[in-house]
Amino acid sequence: MRLIGFPNPVNEKAARAVAAGVLIIAGTALVSGWLWLTLPLALGFFARVATGPKLSPLGQLATRVIAPRLGPPKLVAGPPKRFAQAIGTIVTASSAVAWFGFGSALAAGVLLAMIIVAAGLEAIFAICLGCIGFAYLMRAGVIPEETCKACGDISSRYSRATAGARLER
């Protein structure tokens, strides 16, 4: 087993469970004022970018405990999820620097609020903002198509998902 690397495909149920954990931790940090939690959040995001769930306690909990209890896996492309984790790394690391480096609770809080919104959308509605950004960058030619052939048209997947949700009602 390789330590470095991100899985492809990814179980969306595990990704959403990780997002729920991030939502809880970031929300706790913001509401309680425990802005020191930005550091473990940033380290967790970094671990997931580098190794997928292998070195992330939250990733391990999601893939080994939570996701298996949610039924059969729902597989989605890995590269957009890794891109989303990289954005999370940048935002939470910036929040940690704002708090620890500059003592700015306001800047750290604003960045945490951004993470809360993104994690909430992923955890609750399966809307991955990083994945949407990844698709736009692919369409613009910034990310080569070879990176993820299944990712090129995310809008059709969202329209199929919402059509399926309407049929279930």
Side-chain angles (χ1 to χ4, degrees), residues 22-23 25-39 41 90-118:
V22 168
L23 177 62
I25 295 166
T28 299
L30 195 59
V31 170
S32 68
W34 297 346
L35 297 178
W36 59 269
L37 286 172
T38 58
L39 185 59
L41 270 174
I90 292 166
V91 175
T92 55
S94 298
S95 182
V97 167
W99 174 244
F100 289 104
F102 298 104
S104 176
L106 177 62
V110 167
L111 292 163
L112 274 177
M114 292 169 56
I115 287 294
I116 289 168
V117 168

Side-chain angles (χ1 to χ4, degrees), residues 76-157:
V76 296
K81 296 294 186 188
R82 186 178 204 180
F83 181 77
Q85 292 292 317
I87 292 171
T89 302
I90 292 166
V91 175
T92 55
S94 298
S95 182
V97 167
W99 174 244
F100 289 104
F102 298 104
S104 176
L106 177 62
V110 167
L111 292 163
L112 274 177
M114 292 169 56
I115 287 294
I116 289 168
V117 168
L121 287 171
E122 171 75 7
I124 299 165
F125 302 109
I127 297 172
C128 176
L129 295 179
C131 300
I132 293 168
F134 186 91
Y136 282 118
L137 291 172
M138 281 190 70
R139 278 192 225 127
V142 176
I143 297 174
E145 188 176 316
E146 304 81 53
T147 303
C148 184
K149 293 190 186 297
C151 304
D153 188 11
I154 198 165
S155 61
S156 69
R157 283 185 280 153

Side-chain angles (χ1 to χ4, degrees), residues 1-109:
M1 177 176 88
R2 283 185 10 199
L3 180 63
I4 302 298
F6 198 86
N8 187 24
V10 172
N11 182 355
E12 184 181 39
K13 293 176 181 179
R16 291 180 70 185
V18 167
V22 168
L23 177 62
I24 291 167
I25 295 166
T28 299
L30 195 59
V31 170
S32 68
W34 297 346
L35 297 178
W36 59 269
L37 286 172
T38 58
L39 185 59
L41 270 174
L43 292 172
F45 272 110
F46 178 76
R48 289 186 296 278
V49 168
T51 68
K54 295 180 204 99
L55 294 180
S56 165
L58 189 53
Q60 287 293 307
L61 177 67
T63 57
R64 293 182 185 264
V65 179
I66 298 170
R69 287 169 172 72
L70 298 175
K74 180 180 178 190
L75 299 179
V76 296
K81 296 294 186 188
R82 186 178 204 180
F83 181 77
Q85 292 292 317
I87 292 171
T89 302
I90 292 166
V91 175
T92 55
S94 298
S95 182
V97 167
W99 174 244
F100 289 104
F102 298 104
S104 176
L106 177 62

